[in-house]
């Protein structure tokens, strides 16, 4: 990665006249970047006795960490689950186009597919750093095929699977290997799922619950086995019931392991979830909210809709799209934050949270047409 | 002396800030003409990060000063007296301090020149009085054992050499010190009183700080506020200065 002797000679850029999201608040501060990382200007001043090599006026805009979308199935005519010879270009196209939505890192998502598709497609989606070419690929999100028949949604029924006796081997055989895999969504009511969850978690893969008819008890067991995420809360799961809240009940469950935090994705496009439902979830568990685009709506549209629907603070809405996904994936030291030392992936937003420009590793990778500095 | 009395702490701060700004702009600094601003060391040694953080967060990060042009006494230097002597040399090399801005302690000290400090002292290592140690405890989580007992400080003589001195005094707990500083004699037990012998001093305070002064003193200086306010109004700007250069220059009020 970056860093080392070369970094000290790299130019220092100071972004001025802006408000930055840091520590959960919008502060009137300058953002300093060097060598693709956020720089501590105090150290630069007192220890290196240097000033910025370049200053860029941000016109009073908001600078937020780049958005991270952990569930995106394709877009712009591309479907990641399509077995094509050149999945790579499809991913690259989407990666480039979502820069204009403020997304700087994402997890290409595959829905339930036949074995051949997994075996063909997965090796073609390596983890990749972002840049002018497009948002960074953090790893693949496998949504299925180990999900519930009743809650399959738009997933093809023919390719649903359940775990055989040697469950983990079954998983490996289905996917053809777990390199490049970052998140797996499964239904915890399936037999042998707990051991699969434990095995995947041990490999550092994030396990998510979704497309499931599990009751709260089963869901809690899954979390105890290592699950940390809920895929598109409310959609493709049992509705909240006051005597058995189902997976939704995880938001306020008192049977989660100590110190463990459950995250949940919500598609805040105004269609998949009623605003009242968004509010209930967010108010019940604000630190777990992850904004997903998931469908057709761009990520920044979802952030704006989430802000408007829940009436939450701007800081909260921005964290739901950046910090929380980073925390989910254990990347919060480098991504989803503007703390010193983090990767300089950030997005310039106006007060109504429209994206004006996107930066990856301190480099401008997209900006809105009229905004010529 | 000019004694500027404002109603509240925030107004006193604002007046002082405007005055300093006007002074800098009127001075017309440039690449060959530096305006040297003197500030007292805020914290004793062994807390260098906090002091640097304090200066960074409250001053340096808001302006475009080059780090080369900032000089902070280093409490961790190997030879402390040499560090102090070098500091005095740096001041000379910069052409002397144009304006020194400081506050006073409840015991009337300026910088860390505690009661009993020589009124002609220079930059040196100073042992702190118990009052000061107690006041500094808040920077060390209230643990008195952790508070350093020594500090590097500019001397009274060093500050007296500045071409102008501005002292900020706010709050009732400083009222007695202000009284001793300006209504009683020059005395090394109240080191701020040394500035009675400086040709150009400005004391900026709020109402509470005047509580121990004679009504006569307060009324006199309040009456002068109309005149003194001309020092901050109009508020100059660098851009306007460029335009003004071609027109006749306005001489600011001075006594």
């Amino acid at each position: 990665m970056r860093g080392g002797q070369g970094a000290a000679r790299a130019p220092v850029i100071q972004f001025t006249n802006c408000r930055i999201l840091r520590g959960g608040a919008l502060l009137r501060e300058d953002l300093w970047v060097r060598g693709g990382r956020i720089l501590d200007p105090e150290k630069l001043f007192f220890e290196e006795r240097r000033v910025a090599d370049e200053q860029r006026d941000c016109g009073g805009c908001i600078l937020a960490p780049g958005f991270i979308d952990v569930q995106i199935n394709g877009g712009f005519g591309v479907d990641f689950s399509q077995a094509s010879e050149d999945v790579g270009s499809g991913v690259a196209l989407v990666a480039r186009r979502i820069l204009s939505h403020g997304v700087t890192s994402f997890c290409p998502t595959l829905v339930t597919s036949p074995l051949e598709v997994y075996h063909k497609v997965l090796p073609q989606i390596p983890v990749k750093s972002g840049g002018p070419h497009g948002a960074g690929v953090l790893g693949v999100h496998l949504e299925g095929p180990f999900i519930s028949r009743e809650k399959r949604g738009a997933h093809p029924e023919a390719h649903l699977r359940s775990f055989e006796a040697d469950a983990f081997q079954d998983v490996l055989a289905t996917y053809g290997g777990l390199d490049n895999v970052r998140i797996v969504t499964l239904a915890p009511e399936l037999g042998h799922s707990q051991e699969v969850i434990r095995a995947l978690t041990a490999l550092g893969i994030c396990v998510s619950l979704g497309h499931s008819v599990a009751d709260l008890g089963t869901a809690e067991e899954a979390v105890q086995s290592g699950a940390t995420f809920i895929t598109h809360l409310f959609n493709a799961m049992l509705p909240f019931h006051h005597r058995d809240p189902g997976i939704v009940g995880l938001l306020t469950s008192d049977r989660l392991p100590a110190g463990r935090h459950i995250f949940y994705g919500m598609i805040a496009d105004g269609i998949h979830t009623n605003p009242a439902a968004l509010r209930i979830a967010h108010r019940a568990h604000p630190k777990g909210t992850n904004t997903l685009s998931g469908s057709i709506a761009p990520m920044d549209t979802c952030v704006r809709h989430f802000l408007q629907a829940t009436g939450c603070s701007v800081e909260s809405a921005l964290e739901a799209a950046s910090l929380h996904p980073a925390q989910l994936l254990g990347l919060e030291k480098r991504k989803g934050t503007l703390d010193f030392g983090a990767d300089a992936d950030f997005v310039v937003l106006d007060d109504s949270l429209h994206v004006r420009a996107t930066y990856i590793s301190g480099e401008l990778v997209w900006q809105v047409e009229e905004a010529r500095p | 002396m000019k004694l500027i009395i404002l109603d509240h702490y925030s107004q006193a701060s604002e007046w002082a800030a405007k005055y300093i700004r006007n002074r800098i702009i009127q001075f017309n600094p440039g690449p060959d003409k530096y305006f040297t601003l003197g500030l007292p060391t805020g914290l004793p040694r062994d807390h260098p990060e906090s002091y640097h953080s304090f200066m960074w967060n409250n001053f340096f990060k808001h302006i475009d000063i080059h780090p080369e042009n900032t000089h902070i006494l280093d409490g961790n230097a190997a030879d402390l007296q040499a560090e102090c002597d070098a500091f005095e040399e740096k001041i000379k090399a910069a052409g002397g301090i144009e304006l020194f801005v400081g506050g006073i302690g409840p015991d009337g000290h300026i910088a860390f020149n505690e009661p009993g400090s020589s009124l002609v002292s220079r930059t040196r290592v100073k042992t702190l009085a118990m009052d000061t140690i107690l006041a500094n405890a808040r920077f060390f989580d209230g643990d008195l054992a952790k508070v350093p007992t020594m500090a590097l400080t500019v001397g009274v003589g060093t500050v007296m050499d500045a071409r102008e001195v501005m002292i900020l005094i706010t709050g009732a707990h400083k009222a007695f010190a202000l009284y001793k500083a300006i209504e009683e004699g020059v005395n090394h037990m109240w080191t701020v009183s040394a500035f009675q012998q400086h040709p150009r001093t400005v004391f900026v305070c709020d109402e509470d700080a005047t509580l121990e002064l004679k009504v006569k003193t307060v009324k006199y200086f309040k009456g002068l506020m109309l005149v003194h306010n001309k020092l901050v109004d109009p508020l100059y700007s660098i851009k306007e200065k460029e335009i003004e250069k071609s027109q006749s220059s306005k001489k600011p009020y001075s006594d």
Side-chain angles (χ1 to χ4, degrees), chain B residues 113-119 124 126 187-191:
Chain B
N113 293 287
E114 308 284 54
S117 296
S118 160
L119 297 180
R124 67 210 186 287
K126 192 74 188 130
N187 189 317
H188 65 173
M189 283 303 173
W190 302 90
T191 47

Side-chain angles (χ1 to χ4, degrees), chain A residues 29 41-42 45-46 49-51, chain B residues 52-53 56 61 67 70 72:
Chain A
E29 288 270 354
E42 199 187 318
F45 190 91
F46 288 119
R49 316 285 280 172
R50 271 181 68 182
V51 289
Chain B
H52 285 132
S53 291
W56 171 257
K61 82 175 178 196
T70 66
I72 301 181

Side-chain angles (χ1 to χ4, degrees), chain B residues 15-31:
Chain B
W15 198 100
K18 286 179 174 172
Y19 181 81
I20 297 170
R21 171 186 165 146
N22 270 1
R23 274 287 271 117
I24 295 174
I25 295 175
Q26 285 283 308
F27 179 83
N28 211 3

Side-chain angles (χ1 to χ4, degrees), chain B residues 128-160:
Chain B
L128 301 177
M130 183 44 97
D131 272 352
T132 311
I133 293 173
L134 287 169
N136 284 340
R138 71 184 193 273
F139 297 114
F140 296 86
D141 301 318
D143 186 352
L144 280 183
K146 285 197 190 134
V147 185
T149 53
M150 314 266 268
L152 298 187
T153 180
V154 288
V156 182
T158 317
V159 181
M160 282 290 287

Side-chain angles (χ1 to χ4, degrees), chain B:
Chain B
M1 162 190 81
K2 296 191 193 67
L3 179 63
I4 313 290
I5 304 170
L6 283 310
D7 288 339
H8 297 294
Y9 171 82
S10 50
Q11 288 161 321
S13 306
E14 201 181 319
W15 198 100
K18 286 179 174 172
Y19 181 81
I20 297 170
R21 171 186 165 146
N22 270 1
R23 274 287 271 117
I24 295 174
I25 295 175
Q26 285 283 308
F27 179 83
N28 211 3
D32 303 314
K33 192 183 175 199
Y34 280 38
F35 185 102
T36 309
L37 185 69
L39 298 166
T41 39
L43 285 167
R45 57 184 283 236
D46 288 351
H47 219 82
E49 278 165 37
S50 278
Y51 183 64
H52 285 132
S53 291
F54 180 85
M55 289 307 297
W56 171 257
N57 286 312
N58 290 296
F59 191 36
F60 296 141
K61 82 175 178 196
H62 301 281
I63 59 176
D64 59 357
I65 193 167
H66 199 285
E68 303 281 291
N69 294 329
T70 66
H71 307 279
I72 301 181
L73 274 170
D74 178 10
N76 287 325
D79 182 345
L80 290 176
Q81 196 47 54
E83 168 73 9
C84 294
D85 296 339
F87 197 72
E88 290 276 342
E89 289 304 313
K90 282 184 204 160
I91 294 174
K92 275 206 200 75
I97 296 174
E98 182 65 29
L99 171 64
F100 187 93
V101 179
I104 65 174
D107 59 3
H109 72 241
I110 173 82
F112 282 119
N113 293 287
E114 308 284 54
S117 296
S118 160
L119 297 180
V120 293
S121 51
R122 310 304 305 184
T123 306
R124 67 210 186 287
V125 185
K126 192 74 188 130
T127 312
L128 301 177
M130 183 44 97
D131 272 352
T132 311
I133 293 173
L134 287 169
N136 284 340
R138 71 184 193 273
F139 297 114
F140 296 86
D141 301 318
D143 186 352
L144 280 183
K146 285 197 190 134
V147 185
T149 53
M150 314 266 268
L152 298 187
T153 180
V154 288
V156 182
T158 317
V159 181
M160 282 290 287
D161 283 348
R163 280 183 278 288
E164 183 171 4
V165 178
M166 170 185 268
I167 309 286
L168 298 162
I169 309 147
T170 53
H173 58 304
K174 302 283 175 80
F176 194 72
L178 178 60
Y179 152 65
K180 281 289 185 185
I182 65 175
E183 284 189 339
E184 295 279 297
V186 174
N187 189 317
H188 65 173
M189 283 303 173
W190 302 90
T191 47
V192 177
S193 62
F195 299 113
Q196 292 178 26
Q197 300 200 297
H198 190 289
R200 212 173 159 191
T201 317
V202 182
F203 283 80
V204 182
C205 58
D206 62 357
E207 280 285 341
D208 285 347
T210 64
L211 286 172
E212 295 279 356
L213 298 179
K214 286 202 172 71
V215 174
K216 190 167 85 170
T217 311
V218 175
K219 283 196 171 187
Y220 173 66
F221 284 103
K222 276 195 171 172
L224 284 176
M225 279 310 286
L226 256 157
V227 175
H228 288 158
N229 274 333
K230 290 198 186 139
L231 293 164
V232 295
D233 179 25
L235 193 61
Y236 294 112
S237 85
I238 297 270
K239 292 182 202 121
E240 283 164 20
K241 245 342 226 95
E242 297 297 313
I243 306 166
E244 234 188 54
K245 263 187 195 156
S246 51
Q247 300 160 5
S248 57
S249 58
K250 215 167 55 165
K251 211 174 183 293
Y253 165 85
S254 62
D255 57 7

